[in-house]
Amino acid sequence: MNARELPTRSAAVRWAQRLAPLAVGLVVLGAWEWAVRHWEVEPYVVPAPSQVLATLRERWSELAPAWAVTLRTMGLALTAAAVSGALLAALFASSRWVAASLFPYAIVLQVTPLVAIAPLLALWLRSRFEWVHLICAWIVAFFPVLSNTVAGLRSADRAHHDLFTLYGASPWARLRLLLAPSALPYFLAGLRIAGNLSLVGAVVAEFVTGAVGDESGLASLILGSQMRLDTPMVFAALTLVSLTGIAVYFALGLLSYLLLRRWHDSALPR
Amino acid sequence: MIELGDVTKTFPNGTRAVDGVSLRVAAGEFVSLLGPSGCGKSTLLRITAGLAPPTSGTVAAPWLNGGRDAGGQLGYVFQQPTLLPWSSVSSNVYLPLRLAGRRRRDAAPLVDAALEMVGLSDFRRARPRELSGGMQMRVSVARALVGQPTALLLDEPFAALDEITRNRIDDDLLKLWTQQRWAAVFVTHSVYEAVYLSTRVLVMSPRPGRIIDEIAIDLPQPRTPAVRGLPRFAELCERVSAALAAGMEATANA
């Protein structure tokens, strides 16, 4: 035996680590199922996981359209947040004056509670709810993209800046070939936060406006079901919200990995 | 080709880095600036490159006359490889040409030739972090030479490398200089490196940096590693070391 062994992680350990969250979930669900059955809890108080699953299956025709609406709001808001956040960050990076003049207002936008803005937006937009939801989701998702990208654009290496100065780079070439790639890891980290915030934003906005009708998403479904004490439906809708959040988080993580794996420390194996 | 007249550099915090330095470098010369760390030799190089303005004094060099493609005249090798980590080796070498507005297809022969020069033709698709420190530095040299500059400025380029690797890169650099004869200004704190590579060594004092001695290196050309074994090499090293030590002492007594 060597006196000191380097810690090596076998494939088995790595797989165990990946499956650990799944195991935790199964144990919790099992305990929940058992508890509901054991104490005979009424479904309108707490439904058992098996009932939630059954609701998901049997009432999919109600859930699917609502899910699609929420997904669309989230997707559009996230896209808008990514584009506007990156463009505004580039504008900030191009001029200290612009950055200093506008950044406080970006913060104001960020700290104003969504529940206060949403009714106002509903008033101003004359109840075009899909726009209200979209703007709300965008407002919360846009700030992490902006602030992260600004930090990323400023993080470009000094020696690299010298290199570009030395070879007479135009501002546009500097932005495209130096600043943008330097900011990419930061932008992607911001996008990962924005992904889930846009989901939260979409759901909260629906709650606040209390939109009902054809164009209503998962939150409206939850509100309506709550009023009818249809708790299994509330849980089914919440399950979809959670699954969406987890999927978006991992999808954006994968995107980040694919874009950075050849050069950035964050995406390299240790 | 390069001419500095009475250049002084004082930083905003009051530190005087360079004090009244005048020097001339003719085309095809290999001049080393040798001095202890913190003596302002890197600052002097940055001023020469146009990366920083002098506080007073004059700087004349072809690339300082303005114009966008003036950069083509000059190659610069930094202390660190300073490669773009997201770009492949060949894209990194292509960068100066790209910034000068050359199209990739037109520039490809020059990029290939530069990589060939430093012996890295097989690594054009690699990312910088996949290379060793020595190889990264070679890419950096290829990038500095790809535009076929008339002058090359090197800022302690191989200081971070181990001695064996450094000697090999020095040999390669010397070979390239013998073939291409750009003017070189080489900043270093290694006496042996300065004597081995240069046609002339300028010795600087500790901060504020001044040039306190100038020693012509009359070793035979073209130089080969065997030069390191010549008695004249040892003699010159001793002479340069003595000048360096005299500068240190004078400052300590002042």
Side-chain angles (χ1 to χ4, degrees):
Chain A
M1 273 278 288
N2 290 329
R4 289 197 316 168
E5 274 185 12
L6 288 173
T8 53
R9 294 199 306 158
S10 67
V13 174
R14 273 203 305 275
W15 271 108
Q17 216 165 49
R18 263 175 229 169
L19 293 176
L22 208 62
V24 170
L26 286 176
V27 168
V28 170
L29 287 178
W32 176 355
E33 182 81 37
W34 176 84
V36 168
R37 285 173 193 227
H38 181 74
W39 285 296
E40 292 172 1
V41 182
E42 292 292 341
Y44 71 86
V45 181
V46 178
S50 57
Q51 278 173 305
V52 176
L53 201 65
T55 310
L56 273 171
R57 211 173 38 232
E58 287 155 18
R59 298 170 70 183
W60 185 245
S61 58
E62 286 170 73
L63 283 158
W67 193 29
V69 168
T70 303
L71 275 181
R72 195 186 63 197
T73 308
M74 188 196 75
L76 287 174
L78 184 60
T79 310
V83 173
S84 59
L87 286 180
L88 204 58
L91 188 68
F92 281 17
S94 67
S95 155
R96 294 252 156 198
W97 276 94
V98 174
S101 326
L102 291 185
F103 207 71
Y105 298 101
I107 299 171
V108 167
L109 206 57
Q110 167 70 7
V111 297
T112 310
L114 206 55
V115 288
I117 306 178
L120 285 176
L121 285 173
L123 181 71
W124 296 334
L125 292 170
R126 296 175 205 286
S127 301
R128 274 178 295 230
F129 288 118
E130 67 273 23
W131 280 100
V132 177
H133 302 158
L134 186 58
I135 292 171
C136 285
W138 169 78
I139 285 176
V140 288
F142 138 91
F143 191 75
V145 177
L146 173 70
S147 64
N148 269 37
T149 312
V150 165
L153 289 169
R154 286 186 185 155
S155 75
D157 190 85
R158 292 225 160 198
H160 286 152
H161 270 298
D162 282 347
L163 181 73
F164 276 68
T165 306
L166 216 50
Y167 291 115
S170 64
W172 171 239
R174 194 184 291 261
L175 179 66
R176 203 162 49 91
L177 301 176
L178 174 59
L179 299 181
S182 300
L184 186 64
Y186 294 76
F187 167 78
L188 289 168
L191 200 62
R192 221 170 161 178
I193 304 169
N196 282 358
L197 281 181
S198 65
L199 177 62
V200 173
V203 170
V204 169
E206 272 181 41
F207 261 111
V208 175
T209 54
V212 282
D214 295 342
E215 286 294 297
S216 59
L218 284 177
S220 309
L221 192 63
I222 291 172
L223 267 182
S225 308
Q226 251 167 4
M227 287 171 194
R228 294 190 302 272
L229 285 182
D230 186 358
T231 313
M233 192 60 163
V234 172
F235 271 81
L238 282 176
T239 306
L240 284 182
V241 172
S242 309
L243 289 179
T244 307
I246 293 170
V248 167
Y249 186 77
F250 281 106
L252 290 173
L254 183 68
L255 176 74
S256 178
Y257 169 75
L258 291 175
L259 288 174
L260 302 179
R261 65 185 160 155
R262 291 228 35 206
W263 66 275
H264 198 257
D265 283 335
S266 68
L268 291 160
R270 294 193 184 279
Chain B
M1 105 174 285
I2 302 169
E3 194 164 350
L4 271 62
D6 202 20
V7 165
T8 297
K9 178 74 181 181
T10 311
F11 287 117
N13 63 11
T15 311
R16 175 156 292 196
V18 178
D19 193 18
V21 168
S22 299
L23 65 87
R24 295 179 69 145
V25 179
E29 261 196 299
F30 199 118
V31 175
S32 282
L33 282 173
L34 178 74
S37 46
C39 77
K41 49 195 192 303
S42 293
T43 307
L44 207 53
L45 205 66
R46 288 175 61 83
I47 290 171
T48 308
L51 283 172
T55 308
S56 66
T58 56
V59 188
W63 50 87
L64 297 176
N65 302 337
R68 258 198 66 188
D69 59 27
Q73 305 256 19
L74 170 70
Y76 198 103
V77 183
F78 294 85
Q79 282 182 17
Q80 303 295 322
T82 318
L83 305 174
L84 304 178
W86 50 83
S87 289
S88 67
V89 163
S90 69
S91 294
N92 266 290
V93 174
Y94 167 52
L95 184 73
L97 301 174
R98 183 176 200 175
L99 293 176
R102 302 278 290 270
R103 303 184 54 140
R104 185 158 203 143
R105 198 181 302 169
D106 305 336
L110 286 171
V111 172
D112 288 347
L115 282 172
E116 180 83 48
M117 273 178 341
V118 297
L120 287 176
S121 297
D122 294 340
F123 293 91
R124 66 190 71 198
R125 284 160 169 275
R127 296 294 155 110
R129 63 168 304 126
E130 292 155 11
L131 306 179
S132 70
M135 288 158 97
Q136 290 184 20
M137 217 58 233
R138 285 170 187 275
V139 177
S140 184
V141 170
R143 179 181 63 195
L145 291 176
V146 73
Q148 299 176 320
T150 51
L152 189 63
L153 307 184
L154 305 103
D155 185 6
E156 293 186 43
F158 316 130
L161 302 178
D162 63 276
E163 199 176 345
I164 301 166
T165 311
R166 194 208 305 189
N167 285 345
R168 283 185 45 197
I169 297 194
D170 281 349
D171 286 336
D172 291 347
L173 191 69
L174 207 49
K175 205 189 293 170
L176 291 170
W177 176 73
T178 309
Q179 291 163 4
Q180 304 173 352
R181 281 296 180 136
W182 13 268
V185 182
F186 190 91
V187 164
T188 180
H189 51 236
S190 162
V191 171
Y192 304 102
E193 206 177 19
V195 172
Y196 180 59
L197 294 172
S198 314
T199 55
R200 196 151 54 97
V201 174
L202 302 174
V203 181
M204 293 183 72
S205 68
R207 191 165 53 213
R210 278 170 294 112
I211 291 175
I212 49 170
D213 210 342
E214 177 174 343
I215 296 147
I217 306 296
D218 51 5
L219 292 167
Q221 297 282 2
R223 288 193 196 147
T224 56
V227 165
R228 291 193 178 102
L230 295 177
R232 181 69 186 144
F233 179 76
E235 224 173 276
L236 284 163
C237 286
E238 240 164 79
R239 162 112 170 69
V240 171
S241 297
L244 202 57
M248 302 286 278
E249 213 163 289
T251 314
N253 292 338

